[in-house]
Every structure is written in structure tokens, then in C-alpha cells.
Amino acid sequence: MMDNSLLKKIQLLLMDVDGVLTTGQIIYDDDGREIKIFHVRDGLGIRLLIDAGITVGIITGRRSKALVHRCRNLGIDLLKDGISDKAAALMEILSETGIPAEHTAFVGDDLPDLPILRRVGVPIAVADSHEAVRSAASWITQSMGGKGAVREIAERLLAARGDWQTLLEKRFS
């Protein structure tokens, strides 16, 4: 079980996209446009994190207009897409935000995520991650990527900080 004292210190949550915010499937329409399917509960979890003052960002190897629209919709300003060196992107984000690696969590699912997972304070793998990613993680979600894993993470981070109940009462009562 992940130590809540570590989760309480998280100021920055970074995520991969395909396999984390989506199931990892890539769908193309007849015109060759990529279509992504995002889970609405993950979106609410991200909004709650942002409302609680946690910075949320994306580091992904692929570029997608659908992702740009989703980030805009959720209020995610920190988007690094088309990234081949994820560790370098992490260092750039840490420099830009001034948030130390030990106060950063990253959610990944596949081998390109390993360099980041090895450099952050809380490395997280979604349930259906590659075995090497699960081995590198200090927390493995119960939910699979694209099926509520990010919401699970959001609720746990907010609860560890003591913000969950307050947010529920403030936004949903």
C-alpha cells in the first residue's frame, strides 16, 4: 500500500496518455484522423486536482489534436507531446514549475515511461501496465488505463492531503 505521507507531498501529477488516459487503442476514421476515447471520471478527477492546487501535466510520445482539445477542456496547460526523450521533458517541466522530483508523481503504462518513473517521488503504474513498469512503480492502481485509473489516483491524492471531503462538500452538496 502506498504511504499517504508521500502522497501528501505531491504538488505535480504528470501522466502519459495512451494506455493511461485511454485504453491504449488507437482508432482512425476513414480520413486517417486519430480518435481517442477518454473516461469522463478521469476528467473530473483531473479538474478536482487542479482545483485543489495540484499541477497536472502530460508527457506523451504521440501528437494528437484530440489530446490538445481534451487538455484545453480540462484546463491542463502543461502539455509535452511528440516527446522522444521523456526524461528530458520531465527535467524541463521540473525546471519550469520549480517543483522538485520528490514532490512529483508520474503515471505510466509502457516501456517509454520507465525513465520518468525512475526519477519521480511517486512512480505509478496503471493496473494493465507492462510488467517492467509495474516493477518500477511504488503504486499500481486497481483500475486499468482509460477505465478510471486517473480518477482513482486523484481521489487518493486528495484524500491523503485532507482535501477530498472538503471538495465533495464544496462542489457536490
Side-chain angles (χ1 to χ4, degrees):
M1 192 64 143
M2 186 72 230
D3 182 1
N4 275 351
S5 66
L6 290 174
L7 297 181
K8 187 184 283 192
K9 297 177 183 178
I10 296 302
Q11 299 171 18
L12 172 62
L13 175 67
L14 298 171
M15 298 168 282
D16 181 33
V17 175
D18 295 313
V20 172
L21 286 172
T22 74
T23 61
Q25 297 172 305
I26 298 172
I27 302 168
Y28 292 99
D29 70 9
D30 288 342
D31 295 321
R33 288 181 302 237
E34 185 175 320
I35 299 168
K36 292 189 181 294
I37 299 173
F38 299 98
H39 200 296
V40 70
R41 282 184 234 140
D42 287 342
L44 179 58
I46 290 168
R47 286 294 322 147
L48 292 172
L49 288 170
I50 292 169
D51 289 352
I54 295 174
T55 303
V56 177
I58 304 287
I59 300 176
T60 181
R62 298 176 54 82
R63 290 187 189 275
S64 162
K65 289 180 183 177
L67 174 61
V68 171
H69 291 294
R70 184 66 170 154
C71 287
R72 188 176 304 130
N73 176 258
L74 294 174
I76 298 173
D77 298 322
L78 192 54
L79 170 60
K80 304 287 185 185
D81 58 349
I83 300 298
S84 58
D85 185 347
K86 289 189 173 187
L90 170 67
M91 300 315 290
E92 185 178 311
I93 288 170
L94 297 179
S95 177
E96 289 172 5
T97 63
I99 298 171
E102 59 269 17
H103 293 167
T104 301
F106 179 79
V107 189
D109 73 303
D110 210 352
L111 301 176
D113 301 321
L114 286 172
I116 297 181
L117 290 166
R118 293 179 179 134
R119 288 170 171 81
V120 296
V122 178
I124 306 168
V126 295
D128 54 337
S129 294
H130 186 279
E131 184 176 326
V133 172
R134 289 193 312 269
S135 293
S138 60
W139 172 11
I140 301 170
T141 64
Q142 296 294 310
S143 303
M144 294 189 295
K147 304 247 183 198
V150 173
R151 173 65 168 272
E152 178 184 330
I153 293 162
E155 289 185 18
R156 182 90 185 276
L157 287 174
L158 292 167
R161 292 166 47 114
D163 292 335
W164 179 245
Q165 198 59 42
T166 304
L167 280 169
L168 285 179
E169 291 167 7
K170 182 175 147 185
R171 291 200 49 175
F172 305 107
S173 60

